[in-house]
Amino acid sequence: MRGIGSIAAVVGVAVGLMAPASAHAAWAPATNVSAVGTGDFLDLDSSQSPNGRAIALWTYLPASGNAREGRIFTATATQTSGFARRRSMLLAPVGQAFFRAAIADNGQGLVVFQEVVRVRRRTTHRIQAIRVLPSGALRPPFTVSLRGVDALTPQVATLPRGRFVVVWRTRTGAVQAAKVSAGHREGPVRTLGRGATASVGAATAGEDVAVTYETPQSSRIVLWPGGDVPSASASLGTGRGNPVVRGAGSSFVVGTSGAVGGDQVVNVQRFSATGPVEGATTYTSASSTARVAMASTGAAIVAWEHLERGTPSTTSIAVASAPALEMPFGSQQLFAGDVRPALSAEPVAVNARGDAVVVYAYAGQSATSGRAFVRPAGGAFGAPTDLGESDSHTVVLREDGSAIVTFLRPSGNGSAVATAQYTP
């Protein structure tokens, strides 16, 4: 692994310089939580259940490329430990092939939602759910999507009382959703919109649900109040693409990106279950999509890649925060201007007391490595920590300010899933 020099200081737009790290805070050395493999690690994700248990998920397809031989792995961590216990599950029943998976933990056990392919007289894609009991035993899979309709790329979010909402798009572009209880679908499959061209997103705030998707014309949002029927889809604005939605407390935050007047911008906006609660805040000179995280208090953080044009041009990591539900997003801070930083799909987290973590990858001359910024509650982001050669980062932040970052890294003759744990 090739070392990289120290990162540039904040080129701060708002909140000043980075704070020195606490004398007691530390990142433990990264450890592998998967076996080393030469195949493909996919769907790397991590999340936290209502009881504080952290879950890491990844799927593995062997070097043969046979999707019927793929397996899904989960690792769990208690409120005080890192990921340790690992389980393996066959992804698809006999005669079917696995494509994609999403996982959720309601505090009573796991449910894995996966896109599987059945090849009979015609090839069909369907969304199936498999309940994993606390003992590790598997319940038989059941189909969530409509039979005979190709269903792709499931996304899942948790609801109260051990329930879930799962959202997907069909091959013809319809956006569909269903609520799921233990072992069965709860109510009908609902069509929430049409014309989707990419994966859809879903978030919950109590019983309320928000769904976002992208069409060739704009990004759109559907609000589904608890116990009520979903609203008609509404545009998030012309030129706003790549929507990301997160929910907590009684509100949602939606981030979009796109071109406005020759500039690439990031927009972030709050919604309740009945509509927007404020206008969008716009940040200019963006060079990536927005990544958003929320805490149960409604505090939120958004991060993106910021392009500073010049000779040469530089890319920074930009971060903006809203400290509470009623407060708008503030001015952006810029970090790291000269190491070609790139955000992964799930690289930001914030908790109820105001701690925050931002993780990104940067390209060295011979390898891609990871770095993490930590902001303690009431403080400023500290100096970054190098996580070593790694990519595809995802982060879980506990309420006590400790964090676990999960990522892929080279190991032996192949790759492995690894984690690094932060203790404040």
Side-chain angles (χ1 to χ4, degrees):
M1 181 182 68
R2 180 184 181 276
I4 302 294
S6 62
I7 202 165
V10 175
V11 295
V13 178
V15 188
L17 300 178
M18 289 185 294
S22 165
H24 303 289
W27 286 91
T31 58
N32 288 357
V33 293
S34 78
V36 176
T38 56
D40 293 324
F41 289 91
L42 306 169
D43 299 307
L44 180 60
D45 195 9
S46 61
S47 61
Q48 191 168 198
S49 72
N51 63 8
R53 181 174 65 170
I55 303 295
L57 160 79
W58 65 94
T59 59
Y60 180 74
L61 297 182
S64 66
N66 187 346
R68 289 179 174 84
E69 298 176 8
R71 299 188 74 84
I72 186 169
F73 291 86
T74 62
T76 59
T78 66
Q79 290 180 315
T80 59
S81 70
F83 289 122
R85 190 175 183 183
R86 187 173 75 237
R87 290 179 175 149
S88 168
M89 295 172 281
L90 188 64
L91 289 172
V94 175
Q96 301 185 26
F98 156 81
F99 265 67
R100 298 171 184 88
I103 195 168
D105 183 356
N106 60 8
Q108 305 168 17
L110 302 176
V111 175
V112 178
F113 296 88
Q114 58 186 16
E115 176 189 336
V116 296
V117 182
R118 171 167 290 183
V119 181
R120 288 186 174 177
R121 286 177 294 181
R122 66 179 291 268
T123 300
T124 58
H125 294 241
R126 60 180 59 176
I127 307 300
Q128 289 188 335
I130 302 175
R131 187 180 176 207
V132 186
L133 301 181
S135 65
L138 304 182
R139 292 299 191 191
F142 61 95
T143 298
V144 178
S145 58
L146 296 173
R147 294 186 181 274
V149 179
D150 281 343
L152 314 172
T153 60
Q155 300 293 321
V156 62
T158 58
L159 289 164
R161 301 191 303 280
R163 296 149 53 241
F164 306 91
V165 60
V166 58
V167 183
W168 63 91
R169 68 180 177 93
T170 70
R171 193 173 296 281
T172 59
V175 178
Q176 296 186 328
K179 294 180 180 179
V180 174
S181 296
H184 66 279
R185 190 175 68 208
E186 189 180 88
V189 171
R190 296 179 180 270
T191 298
L192 304 181
R194 300 188 182 276
T197 56
S199 298
V200 297
T204 54
E207 288 283 357
D208 301 328
V209 179
V211 174
T212 57
Y213 63 98
E214 187 175 359
T215 73
Q217 293 77 34
S218 68
S219 295
R220 304 188 70 82
I221 185 169
V222 177
L223 297 169
W224 187 354
D228 204 346
V229 297
S231 67
S233 68
S235 174
L236 290 168
T238 303
R240 297 182 184 179
N242 304 298
V244 177
V245 61
R246 296 291 182 266
S250 59
S251 72
F252 302 94
V253 170
V254 178
T256 58
S257 59
V260 176
D263 189 18
Q264 293 291 320
V265 303
V266 159
N267 298 283
V268 60
Q269 186 173 14
R270 283 194 188 271
F271 288 80
S272 70
T274 57
V277 297
E278 62 186 25
T281 301
T282 299
Y283 301 95
T284 60
S285 300
S287 61
S288 76
T289 57
R291 275 72 163 184
V292 180
M294 285 187 72
S296 58
T297 57
I301 186 171
V302 57
W304 65 96
E305 295 158 30
H306 173 93
L307 178 63
E308 197 68 45
R309 293 178 175 83
T311 307
S313 61
T314 59
T315 302
S316 306
I317 299 299
V319 179
S321 299
L325 180 64
E326 297 83 7
M327 300 185 70
F329 282 84
S331 301
Q332 65 188 21
Q333 287 181 279
L334 302 181
F335 304 85
D338 59 354
V339 291
R340 298 190 296 280
L343 290 165
S344 298
E346 299 290 345
V348 295
V350 62
N351 64 15
R353 72 180 196 177
D355 303 283
V357 178
V358 177
V359 184
Y360 68 93
Y362 67 93
Q365 292 184 0
S366 60
T368 297
S369 296
R371 279 192 169 140
F373 292 106
V374 176
R375 185 189 71 193
F381 282 102
T385 296
D386 197 314
L387 301 177
E389 190 173 342
S390 56
D391 205 349
S392 302
H393 305 91
T394 178
V395 60
V396 167
L397 179 60
R398 297 182 173 113
E399 291 304 321
D400 65 357
S402 63
I404 306 176
V405 177
T406 308
F407 47 84
L408 296 179
R409 69 172 180 176
S411 186
N413 295 323
S415 299
V417 177
T419 64
Q421 185 165 351
Y422 171 81
T423 302

